[in-house]
Amino acid sequence: VQLQASGGGLVQAGGSLRLSCRASGRIFTINTMGWYRQVQGKERELVATMTSTEITNYSDSVKGRFTISGDSAKNTVYLQMNSLKPEDTAVYFCNADVNVIDSDYADTLSYHSENFWGKGTQVTVSS
């Protein structure tokens, strides 16, 4: 399973960006997809997550400004980031908890759950 993220860039404070992350591979179902971010020298932190039943969770620092959404048919999650602040500057990582197909031979499906990370995408907010 691979996660391909896109949409990062440079924006002025108060501006908006939209991140996308698409999962591909031997996917049976996806339990949760989300976004984390990391500033150099600091720990990676939660930004937002969404479950397969569309339950969302946001960090307090982005509530009311960021919106996570998904397209289950495309195995894709989006992060709409509005009212961006310089402190939102970080590398943003996509994460997915996936039920990965082990075998689908002879009408018998077996799978296991595994967590995946995408390569980060840089978001820079200038003041």
Side-chain angles (χ1 to χ4, degrees), residues 9-87:
L10 172 66
V11 65
Q12 288 188 330
S16 298
L17 282 174
R18 188 188 193 212
L19 304 182
S20 299
C21 176
R22 180 167 186 168
S24 62
R26 292 180 62 80
I27 298 170
F28 177 43
T29 56
I30 298 176
N31 299 313
T32 304
M33 288 188 80
W35 295 93
Y36 293 71
R37 66 188 182 188
Q38 188 170 22
V39 176
Q40 192 170 7
K42 295 188 177 181
E43 291 188 357
R44 193 170 297 186
E45 64 175 12
L46 167 75
V47 177
T49 60
M50 171 180 275
T51 70
S52 59
T53 55
E54 299 186 351
I55 296 172
T56 59
N57 182 40
Y58 295 92
S59 70
D60 288 343
S61 63
V62 307
K63 279 181 182 176
R65 300 188 298 121
F66 291 10
T67 302
I68 190 169
S69 61
D71 185 336
S72 59
K74 296 180 179 179
N75 290 332
T76 299
V77 67
Y78 306 97
L79 185 68
Q80 179 65 43
M81 304 185 292
N82 299 329
S83 302
L84 282 160
K85 304 175 181 180
E87 51 264 44

